[in-house]
PDB file of all heavy atoms in Angstrom:
ATOM      1  N   LEU A  78     -35.378 -25.599 -26.861  1.00 88.00           N
ATOM      2  CA  LEU A  78     -33.968 -26.010 -26.915  1.00 88.00           C
ATOM      3  C   LEU A  78     -33.643 -26.597 -28.288  1.00 88.00           C
ATOM      4  O   LEU A  78     -32.583 -26.355 -28.844  1.00 88.00           O
ATOM      5  CB  LEU A  78     -33.661 -27.042 -25.826  1.00 88.00           C
ATOM      6  CG  LEU A  78     -33.807 -26.558 -24.376  1.00 88.00           C
ATOM      7  CD1 LEU A  78     -33.596 -27.726 -23.408  1.00 88.00           C
ATOM      8  CD2 LEU A  78     -32.815 -25.454 -24.068  1.00 88.00           C
ATOM      9  N   MET A 126     -42.290 -36.018 -30.114  1.00 83.00           N
ATOM     10  CA  MET A 126     -41.729 -36.761 -31.235  1.00 83.00           C
ATOM     11  C   MET A 126     -42.840 -37.001 -32.258  1.00 83.00           C
ATOM     12  O   MET A 126     -43.935 -37.421 -31.890  1.00 83.00           O
ATOM     13  CB  MET A 126     -41.163 -38.087 -30.731  1.00 83.00           C
ATOM     14  CG  MET A 126     -40.199 -38.744 -31.693  1.00 83.00           C
ATOM     15  SD  MET A 126     -39.091 -39.867 -30.828  1.00 83.00           S
ATOM     16  CE  MET A 126     -40.184 -41.248 -30.559  1.00 83.00           C
ATOM     17  N   THR A 233     -12.744   6.834 -11.694  1.00 79.00           N
ATOM     18  CA  THR A 233     -14.139   6.465 -11.460  1.00 79.00           C
ATOM     19  C   THR A 233     -14.830   7.540 -10.644  1.00 79.00           C
ATOM     20  O   THR A 233     -14.266   8.061  -9.690  1.00 79.00           O
ATOM     21  CB  THR A 233     -14.207   5.150 -10.646  1.00 79.00           C
ATOM     22  OG1 THR A 233     -13.517   4.160 -11.364  1.00 79.00           O
ATOM     23  CG2 THR A 233     -15.641   4.730 -10.419  1.00 79.00           C
ATOM     24  N   PHE A 251      -4.583   7.494  12.099  1.00 94.00           N
ATOM     25  CA  PHE A 251      -3.139   7.444  12.351  1.00 94.00           C
ATOM     26  C   PHE A 251      -2.598   8.867  12.337  1.00 94.00           C
ATOM     27  O   PHE A 251      -2.836   9.608  11.386  1.00 94.00           O
ATOM     28  CB  PHE A 251      -2.448   6.590  11.287  1.00 94.00           C
ATOM     29  CG  PHE A 251      -0.959   6.548  11.447  1.00 94.00           C
ATOM     30  CD1 PHE A 251      -0.387   5.959  12.561  1.00 94.00           C
ATOM     31  CD2 PHE A 251      -0.131   7.115  10.500  1.00 94.00           C
ATOM     32  CE1 PHE A 251       0.979   5.937  12.724  1.00 94.00           C
ATOM     33  CE2 PHE A 251       1.233   7.098  10.652  1.00 94.00           C
ATOM     34  CZ  PHE A 251       1.798   6.499  11.774  1.00 94.00           C
ATOM     35  N   GLU A 298      11.114   6.224   9.744  1.00 91.00           N
ATOM     36  CA  GLU A 298      11.564   7.590   9.472  1.00 91.00           C
ATOM     37  C   GLU A 298      12.132   8.236  10.724  1.00 91.00           C
ATOM     38  O   GLU A 298      13.133   8.960  10.674  1.00 91.00           O
ATOM     39  CB  GLU A 298      10.398   8.426   8.926  1.00 91.00           C
ATOM     40  CG  GLU A 298      10.128   8.138   7.455  1.00 91.00           C
ATOM     41  CD  GLU A 298       8.767   8.640   7.006  1.00 91.00           C
ATOM     42  OE1 GLU A 298       8.114   9.374   7.779  1.00 91.00           O
ATOM     43  OE2 GLU A 298       8.346   8.274   5.888  1.00 91.00           O
ATOM     44  N   ILE A 320      39.458  20.947  17.174  1.00 85.00           N
ATOM     45  CA  ILE A 320      39.727  22.336  17.540  1.00 85.00           C
ATOM     46  C   ILE A 320      40.326  22.428  18.948  1.00 85.00           C
ATOM     47  O   ILE A 320      41.231  23.219  19.205  1.00 85.00           O
ATOM     48  CB  ILE A 320      38.426  23.161  17.464  1.00 85.00           C
ATOM     49  CG1 ILE A 320      37.983  23.274  16.009  1.00 85.00           C
ATOM     50  CG2 ILE A 320      38.611  24.531  18.076  1.00 85.00           C
ATOM     51  CD1 ILE A 320      36.585  23.784  15.847  1.00 85.00           C
ATOM     52  N   LEU A 396      39.650  43.395  20.327  1.00 93.00           N
ATOM     53  CA  LEU A 396      39.535  42.002  19.863  1.00 93.00           C
ATOM     54  C   LEU A 396      38.091  41.513  20.030  1.00 93.00           C
ATOM     55  O   LEU A 396      37.508  40.921  19.114  1.00 93.00           O
ATOM     56  CB  LEU A 396      40.492  41.106  20.658  1.00 93.00           C
ATOM     57  CG  LEU A 396      40.304  39.606  20.427  1.00 93.00           C
ATOM     58  CD1 LEU A 396      40.797  39.195  19.044  1.00 93.00           C
ATOM     59  CD2 LEU A 396      41.012  38.781  21.494  1.00 93.00           C
ATOM     60  N   ASN A 406      28.302  38.177  11.567  1.00 88.00           N
ATOM     61  CA  ASN A 406      28.120  37.924  10.130  1.00 88.00           C
ATOM     62  C   ASN A 406      28.105  36.436   9.805  1.00 88.00           C
ATOM     63  O   ASN A 406      27.502  36.015   8.821  1.00 88.00           O
ATOM     64  CB  ASN A 406      29.236  38.613   9.333  1.00 88.00           C
ATOM     65  CG  ASN A 406      29.120  40.125   9.398  1.00 88.00           C
ATOM     66  OD1 ASN A 406      28.018  40.659   9.551  1.00 88.00           O
ATOM     67  ND2 ASN A 406      30.245  40.817   9.322  1.00 88.00           N
ATOM     68  N   ASN A 491      20.979  16.839  38.478  1.00 93.00           N
ATOM     69  CA  ASN A 491      20.815  15.468  38.981  1.00 93.00           C
ATOM     70  C   ASN A 491      19.476  14.900  38.478  1.00 93.00           C
ATOM     71  O   ASN A 491      18.785  15.545  37.683  1.00 93.00           O
ATOM     72  CB  ASN A 491      20.942  15.418  40.501  1.00 93.00           C
ATOM     73  CG  ASN A 491      19.809  16.168  41.191  1.00 93.00           C
ATOM     74  OD1 ASN A 491      18.835  16.568  40.549  1.00 93.00           O
ATOM     75  ND2 ASN A 491      19.942  16.363  42.503  1.00 93.00           N
TER      76      ASN A 491
END
Side-chain angles (χ1 to χ4, degrees):
Chain A
L78 296 175
M126 198 157 77
T233 302
F251 177 65
E298 282 164 10
I320 292 167
L396 171 72
N406 292 332
N491 66 10

